[in-house]
């Protein structure tokens, strides 16, 4: 009959040999990390003993052979034990046989069996919403950074439009400086007017260009030169930036005080309230001394990620930013104007360009393209061309690269990609490179901070 293994599968099952023979008697010790078998093998060397593992069992065997007698040599007394022994122990499941060690010393065989890793108990995984803000533990870190430490815009100057400026000049100025928006000052107000009455809001180039394109379309085919054509339209020459408030929604003018403001203010305004550009004003008088952009915020985060490890080391999935949700998109067969229509009608800053067959992501169309349309007649000619051609022409596709990530990527990796690409919308893709959701800079900022109750008082009631 086959020998049945003795079980050593839990801490309570410490096995003691039941044999009365001195040969092959076993003690089993348990430590935090291993099971240790001590086997009595007096008179045996390691060559006389076999240790093997098979099918989850530990086999110990050996034999002590009695010295043969002869006609002139025989025993007159024999008390020692001779013969073969064999022991079998059932090991705990998961034991790595390659890590088992054995040695023989002073008639004792010692076999060390490292314990397998303890199984992880079932843990309830919290469901985190993409819109859920941080826990507030990092608020003090951001509040300690004064807003005055932010560098001034790369242009070396602030671009501010008077409400009396013609929209044609505003579009040209935005194109010239390579920016997408600017604060609008009420030209009818005195210079020393408080900021709450002096500024009308922030005008966005995208809204102006879309309005002009809609006005030009009924006139026939798109013009050869956008700048030249809009200059010939009487309505555009007479329409001022202030008038644009009737057809182009102004962004809110929500400033931070230069002396009292801090990074937490900017993080909350951009992350919780969706304000893309935060003016910094000096009071009294309300003169603008800086504008905190999304780029400045993401660069600040990137430079200080080691201080925010509780968030930066989490994956998008852990932060609730990898759950599939609807994404507005176009295909490479669609025309550029279709992408623009979606950006305007759905109030999004960009749309991914997908392969019409397999749905994989091929590129990206964003507000940057509006700036190109307004400044280059060559780009404007492509308005009615398939996006496949458009992506090939614009900077060999580099300007319209789609930045992607996976749900297993960490927040740190996502932020660094935003900084490198200077793009603030990243597409989460599945294993087949199909877009499942968008992660915007606003989503990112919300995960680092939590707005204290009543933090901005009645500010947003105005």
């Amino acid at each position: 009959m086959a020998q049945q293994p003795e079980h050593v599968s839990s801490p309570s099952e410490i096995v003691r040999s039941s044999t009365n023979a001195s040969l092959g008697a076993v003690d089993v010790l348990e430590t935090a990390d291993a099971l240790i078998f001590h086997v009595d093998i007096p008179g045996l060397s390691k060559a006389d003993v076999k240790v093997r593992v098979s099918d989850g069992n530990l086999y110990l065997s050996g034999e002590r052979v009695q010295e043969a007698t002869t006609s002139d040599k025989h025993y007159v007394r024999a008390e020692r034990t001779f013969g073969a022994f064999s022991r079998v122990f059932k090991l705990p499941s998961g034991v790595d046989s390659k890590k088992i060690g054995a040695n023989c010393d002073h008639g004792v065989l010692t076999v060390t069996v490292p314990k397998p890793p303890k199984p992880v108990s079932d843990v309830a995984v919290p469901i985190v919403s993409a819109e859920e803000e941080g826990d507030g533990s990092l608020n003090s870190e951001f509040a300690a950074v004064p807003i005055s430490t932010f560098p001034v815009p790369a242009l070396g100057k602030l671009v501010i439009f008077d409400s009396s400026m013609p929209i044609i000049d505003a579009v040209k100025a935005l194109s010239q400086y390579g920016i997408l928006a600017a604060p609008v000052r009420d030209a009818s107000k005195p210079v020393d007017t408080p900021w709450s009455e002096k500024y009308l809001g922030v005008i966005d180039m995208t809204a102006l260009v879309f309005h002009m394109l809609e006005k030009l379309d009924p006139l026939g085919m798109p013009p050869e030169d956008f700048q030249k054509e809009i200059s010939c339209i009487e309505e555009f020459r007479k329409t001022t930036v202030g008038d644009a408030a009737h057809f182009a929604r102004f962004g809110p003018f929500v400033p931070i005080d230069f002396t009292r403001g801090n990074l937490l203010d900017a993080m909350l305004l951009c992350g919780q309230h969706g304000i893309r550009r935060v003016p910094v004003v000096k009071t009294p008088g309300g003169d603008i001394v800086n504008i905190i952009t999304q780029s400045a915020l993401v660069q600040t985060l990137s430079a200080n990620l080691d201080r925010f490890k509780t968030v930066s080391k989490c994956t998008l999935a852990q932060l609730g930013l990898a759950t599939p949700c609807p994404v507005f998109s176009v295909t490479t067969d669609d025309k550029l104007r279709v992408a623009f229509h979606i950006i305007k009608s759905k109030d999004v800053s960009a749309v991914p360009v997908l392969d019409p067959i397999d749905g994989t992501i091929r590129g990206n169309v964003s507000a940057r393209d509006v700036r190109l349309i307004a400044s280059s007649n060559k780009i404007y000619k492509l308005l009615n061309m398939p996006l496949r051609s458009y992506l090939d022409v614009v900077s060999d596709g580099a300007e319209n690269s789609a930045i992607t990530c996976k749900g297993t990527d960490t927040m740190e990796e996502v932020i660094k990609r935003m900084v490198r690409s200077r793009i603030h919308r990243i597409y989460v893709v599945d294993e087949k490179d199909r877009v499942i959701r968008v992660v915007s800079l606003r989503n990112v900022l919300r995960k680092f901070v939590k707005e204290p109750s009543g933090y901005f008082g009645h500010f947003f009631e105005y």
Side-chain angles (χ1 to χ4, degrees), residues 91-334:
L91 297 177
S93 60
V95 166
D96 187 349
S97 60
K98 295 180 180 179
K99 295 182 179 180
I100 295 176
N103 63 74
C104 183
D105 189 30
H106 295 94
V108 177
L109 171 68
T110 301
V111 180
T112 303
V113 181
K115 288 182 178 180
K118 292 183 178 180
V120 180
S121 302
D122 291 338
V123 178
V125 178
I127 300 175
V128 182
S129 166
E131 298 304 317
E132 186 174 331
E133 59 184 352
D135 60 9
S137 61
L138 297 175
N139 279 15
S140 59
E141 293 274 1
F142 293 106
V145 181
I147 209 70
S148 57
T149 61
F150 274 77
V152 297
L155 293 173
K157 61 178 295 185
L158 294 169
V159 178
I160 302 172
F161 295 155
D162 279 338
S163 60
S164 58
M165 174 186 283
I167 59 173
I168 293 177
D169 294 341
V171 169
K172 291 178 179 178
L174 290 170
S175 299
Q176 175 186 349
Y177 291 118
I179 57 178
L180 290 172
V184 178
R185 180 170 47 212
D186 189 342
S188 66
K189 299 292 184 179
V191 176
D192 58 352
T193 301
W195 66 261
S196 58
E197 300 175 21
K198 182 187 300 185
Y199 293 99
L200 302 176
V202 179
I203 187 65
D204 193 290
M205 181 181 188
T206 306
L208 292 179
V209 174
F210 282 161
H211 171 73
M212 293 176 174
L213 289 176
E214 288 176 353
K215 292 292 183 179
L216 290 173
D217 260 358
L219 301 179
M221 293 299 293
E224 293 295 316
D225 189 322
F226 180 75
Q227 295 277 0
K228 181 178 180 180
E229 188 70 20
I230 62 175
S231 299
C232 298
I233 304 298
E234 183 69 17
E235 178 182 344
F236 296 160
R237 291 204 304 270
K238 293 182 177 180
T239 303
T240 65
V241 171
D243 296 330
H246 299 294
F247 58 80
R249 186 182 66 181
F250 277 22
F253 187 86
V254 184
I256 295 176
D257 184 83
F258 178 78
T259 304
R260 299 188 301 272
N262 56 57
L263 179 55
L264 178 61
D265 297 336
M267 293 281 288
L268 291 173
L269 289 175
C270 292
Q272 310 302 97
H273 299 281
I275 297 174
R276 296 176 180 176
R277 299 165 187 86
V278 180
V280 179
V281 298
K282 274 190 174 180
T283 53
D287 291 331
I288 301 177
V289 294
N290 203 351
I291 295 178
I292 307 301
T293 63
Q294 290 182 330
S295 294
L297 284 177
V298 75
Q299 287 169 10
T300 300
L301 277 178
S302 179
N304 295 276
L305 286 173
D306 285 343
R307 298 170 59 183
F308 313 132
K309 290 181 179 180
T310 54
V311 177
S312 64
K313 296 301 182 182
C314 292
T315 65
L316 294 186
Q318 291 172 327
L319 295 170
L321 295 175
T323 306
C325 66
V327 178
F328 299 114
S329 63
V330 291
T331 73
T332 53
D333 290 339
D334 289 323

Side-chain angles (χ1 to χ4, degrees), residues 7-16 28 30 35 115:
H7 289 268
V8 186
S9 56
S10 72
S12 62
E13 296 184 15
I14 305 302
V15 178
R16 175 73 185 180
V28 182
E30 182 180 22
L35 293 171
K115 288 182 178 180

Side-chain angles (χ1 to χ4, degrees), residues 50-118:
K50 292 183 179 180
V51 179
R52 65 187 181 91
V53 176
S54 178
D55 296 328
N57 297 323
L58 173 65
Y59 293 85
L60 308 174
S61 61
E63 182 177 7
R64 185 164 71 179
V65 179
Q66 188 176 35
E67 185 177 354
T69 61
T70 64
S71 58
D72 58 350
K73 183 175 64 174
H74 60 276
Y75 289 99
V76 295
R77 187 180 183 89
E79 295 182 351
R80 295 187 302 157
T81 301
F82 296 93
F85 74 92
S86 178
R87 304 297 298 275
V88 184
F89 296 91
K90 183 69 176 178
L91 297 177
S93 60
V95 166
D96 187 349
S97 60
K98 295 180 180 179
K99 295 182 179 180
I100 295 176
N103 63 74
C104 183
D105 189 30
H106 295 94
V108 177
L109 171 68
T110 301
V111 180
T112 303
V113 181
K115 288 182 178 180
K118 292 183 178 180

Side-chain angles (χ1 to χ4, degrees), residues 344-385:
K344 180 178 185 296
S345 62
K346 304 301 182 182
D347 194 25
V348 294
S349 60
V351 290
V353 182
L354 310 181
D355 187 288
I357 298 177
D358 60 18
T360 56
I361 190 165
R362 297 298 183 213
N364 183 66
V365 174
S366 69
R368 292 184 180 187
D369 297 280
V370 176
R371 186 174 64 201
L372 292 171
I373 287 293
S375 61
S376 172
N377 57 9
K378 292 181 180 179
I379 300 299
Y380 188 81
K381 291 178 182 179
L382 296 177
L383 198 59
N384 285 318
M385 294 182 66

